[in-house]
Amino acid sequence: MSDFSLQNPVFATYVVAACLMILKAVAMSWLTVVRMMGANGGFRNPEDMKKTPLNPNPNANQTAPNESVERIRRIHLNDLENIPFFLVAGLLYVTTQPDLVLAQWLFYGYVASRALHFLAYITAQIHEIRATCWTVGSLILIYMTGATLVKALGY
Amino acid sequence: MSDFSLQNPVFATYVVAACLMILKAVAMSWLTVVRMMGANGGFRNPEDMKKTPLNPNPNANQTAPNESVERIRRIHLNDLENIPFFLVAGLLYVTTQPDLVLAQWLFYGYVASRALHFLAYITAQIHEIRATCWTVGSLILIYMTGATLVKALGY
Amino acid sequence: MSDFSLQNPVFATYVVAACLMILKAVAMSWLTVVRMMGANGGFRNPEDMKKTPLNPNPNANQTAPNESVERIRRIHLNDLENIPFFLVAGLLYVTTQPDLVLAQWLFYGYVASRALHFLAYITAQIHEIRATCWTVGSLILIYMTGATLVKALGY
């Protein structure tokens, strides 16, 4: 049996965590849209100030930075800096055939750390809280990648 | 047989779509270079204003934002927010052993949505058109991820 | 045997290269933190100017752009534009069952090109040097993706 089969509980655990993280990142795109609509601004393109059915009263301020939108963009960028690497690192970690319980802690711990990071960021908690959440996830990512590297070098 | 074999038609379909999307994203890097050369500007680094064989007449305006270059960078960022997640979501979706015809619609539909998004963006169409192309792709991504999550949770 | 097994030397080679690239990208996050601490600035969030144990003397300049921090962010963004696509392209390339020696040149060549790109960028070498390093990696990525696409279309 291939390691990459849903019948492999470690892989199935990874898939659950990976899907949650993908949905989380995609949700940032939609949240940006929601906030741009709420602020009627935060747009980035000159053509977004054209008069259209969804923008009947355009004005020049609509492309000025809007903090409520920019905050989501910063969270989103942080996702881009982290989640794609987790997605691949986690997949490769599965091929090291780790203990299921350890894998569950790592995969779900990562998901939890990103969820808490999001909550800390969107509510503008002080840097220390946000950084702690990020650090937990980053250390999990580094551990999984390091363990996979060591195993692969052994072959 | 592993799901991840080119002999599996669903996987082969995914690989075609994934390769097209990777080439699309990489093309944005090259298009940025082309536009920077065309504008002789849009650079981002102080050292890019040094006199070199490729930049014989440097001037301070070369690091000012250039809209023709910035447009490609915005398209590129949109790719980074979407394509890496499609690449992993599509791969994991293959392990749910979906119907081939459905998978073809989803994978090629995603590719088509991103191609149309690019065309709408680079020609500065109104927001509604660009957003519609993006939304189709995003919904395909969410569907694939959700279907994979449900399947993985069932194991 | 699945292609995606560490017993497959091509896959093991890919995993080594992929893990090195993931660690490289994650290191940019940490290097950003190190430089922000060194500069006591370069922050991006309003809440980062609150008085906290790690920021006992906040001031408004702390959220102004800081070139030593921005340089790492530019390197990091360049990673985000390249490495996630290498990670997936390399994985899919493994399923084409390439010659091991060729695969080693491509995978390790990519890693070397990114390491040299980083060195050129962080030491602010002229554009020509930085661009050459980037180009080598990008061409490897395009070659692997193109070869995989051709193979997948043949099925």
Side-chain angles (χ1 to χ4, degrees):
Chain A
M1 188 180 77
S2 164
D3 292 327
F4 295 155
S5 157
L6 288 171
Q7 266 117 48
N8 173 5
V10 173
F11 182 70
T13 304
Y14 161 75
V15 171
V16 170
C19 288
L20 291 173
M21 289 288 83
I22 292 170
L23 292 173
K24 194 277 177 198
V26 172
M28 294 306 99
S29 293
W30 288 91
L31 191 49
T32 303
V33 172
V34 166
R35 291 221 169 173
M36 284 195 298
M37 286 170 63
N40 192 27
F43 306 153
R44 278 185 164 167
N45 294 287
E47 64 267 27
D48 297 344
M49 285 185 299
K50 285 187 182 164
K51 189 179 169 78
T52 66
L54 286 177
N55 192 14
N57 299 303
N59 68 77
N61 289 334
Q62 289 183 308
T63 53
N66 177 291
E67 172 58 19
S68 78
V69 178
E70 291 306 312
R71 178 170 296 277
I72 306 303
R73 289 199 172 116
R74 291 195 296 270
I75 297 177
H76 202 171
L77 180 59
N78 193 280
D79 281 349
L80 302 189
E81 291 168 356
N82 289 277
I83 293 178
F85 302 106
F86 167 76
L87 294 175
V88 176
L91 182 72
L92 301 184
Y93 182 63
V94 171
T95 68
T96 68
Q97 304 182 328
D99 177 69
L100 176 60
V101 173
L102 174 61
Q104 286 170 331
W105 275 97
L106 293 169
F107 292 147
Y108 294 143
Y110 190 86
V111 172
S113 79
R114 295 303 299 176
L116 292 172
H117 179 267
F118 171 72
L119 288 175
Y121 214 148
I122 203 165
T123 58
Q125 300 299 313
I126 55 168
H127 169 265
E128 277 80 346
I129 295 177
R130 190 180 82 234
T132 301
C133 300
W134 175 82
T135 300
V136 170
S138 192
L139 291 178
I140 289 175
L141 176 51
I142 291 169
Y143 171 78
M144 289 195 310
T145 309
T148 307
L149 179 59
V150 167
K151 197 90 174 229
L153 284 172
Y155 279 91
Chain B
M1 188 180 76
S2 164
D3 292 327
F4 294 155
S5 156
L6 289 172
Q7 267 115 48
N8 173 5
V10 173
F11 181 69
T13 304
Y14 161 74
V15 170
V16 170
C19 288
L20 290 174
M21 289 289 83
I22 292 170
L23 292 174
K24 194 278 178 197
V26 172
M28 293 307 99
S29 294
W30 288 92
L31 191 50
T32 303
V33 172
V34 167
R35 291 222 168 174
M36 285 195 297
M37 286 170 64
N40 192 27
F43 305 153
R44 278 186 164 166
N45 294 287
E47 64 267 28
D48 297 343
M49 283 185 300
K50 284 188 183 164
K51 188 178 168 81
T52 65
L54 286 177
N55 192 12
N57 300 303
N59 67 78
N61 289 334
Q62 290 184 309
T63 52
N66 177 291
E67 171 58 16
S68 79
V69 178
E70 291 305 313
R71 180 170 295 275
I72 306 302
R73 289 200 172 115
R74 290 195 297 270
I75 297 175
H76 202 171
L77 180 60
N78 193 280
D79 281 349
L80 301 189
E81 291 169 357
N82 289 277
I83 293 178
F85 301 107
F86 167 76
L87 294 175
V88 176
L91 182 73
L92 301 185
Y93 183 62
V94 171
T95 68
T96 67
Q97 305 181 329
D99 177 70
L100 175 60
V101 173
L102 175 61
Q104 286 170 332
W105 274 97
L106 293 169
F107 292 146
Y108 295 144
Y110 190 85
V111 171
S113 79
R114 295 303 299 176
L116 292 172
H117 178 267
F118 171 72
L119 287 175
Y121 214 147
I122 203 164
T123 58
Q125 299 300 313
I126 55 169
H127 169 265
E128 277 81 344
I129 295 176
R130 189 180 83 233
T132 301
C133 301
W134 175 81
T135 299
V136 170
S138 192
L139 291 178
I140 290 174
L141 175 51
I142 292 169
Y143 172 78
M144 289 196 310
T145 308
T148 306
L149 179 59
V150 167
K151 197 90 175 231
L153 285 172
Y155 278 90
Chain C
M1 188 179 75
S2 165
D3 292 328
F4 295 154
S5 157
L6 289 172
Q7 267 115 50
N8 173 5
V10 173
F11 182 70
T13 304
Y14 161 74
V15 171
V16 170
C19 288
L20 290 174
M21 289 288 84
I22 293 170
L23 292 174
K24 194 278 177 196
V26 172
M28 293 307 99
S29 294
W30 289 90
L31 191 50
T32 303
V33 172
V34 167
R35 290 221 167 174
M36 284 195 298
M37 286 170 63
N40 192 27
F43 305 153
R44 278 187 164 165
N45 294 287
E47 64 267 28
D48 297 344
M49 284 185 300
K50 284 187 182 165
K51 189 179 168 79
T52 65
L54 286 176
N55 192 13
N57 299 303
N59 68 77
N61 289 335
Q62 290 183 310
T63 52
N66 176 290
E67 171 57 18
S68 79
V69 178
E70 291 305 313
R71 180 170 294 276
I72 307 302
R73 289 200 172 116
R74 291 195 297 270
I75 298 176
H76 202 170
L77 180 59
N78 193 280
D79 281 349
L80 302 189
E81 291 169 356
N82 289 277
I83 293 178
F85 301 107
F86 166 76
L87 294 175
V88 176
L91 182 72
L92 301 184
Y93 182 63
V94 171
T95 68
T96 68
Q97 304 182 329
D99 177 69
L100 176 59
V101 173
L102 174 60
Q104 286 170 331
W105 274 97
L106 293 169
F107 291 146
Y108 295 143
Y110 190 85
V111 172
S113 79
R114 295 303 298 175
L116 292 172
H117 178 267
F118 171 72
L119 288 175
Y121 214 148
I122 203 164
T123 58
Q125 301 299 312
I126 55 168
H127 169 264
E128 277 80 345
I129 295 176
R130 189 181 84 232
T132 301
C133 301
W134 175 81
T135 299
V136 170
S138 192
L139 291 178
I140 290 174
L141 175 51
I142 291 170
Y143 171 77
M144 288 195 310
T145 309
T148 307
L149 178 60
V150 167
K151 196 90 175 228
L153 284 172
Y155 280 91

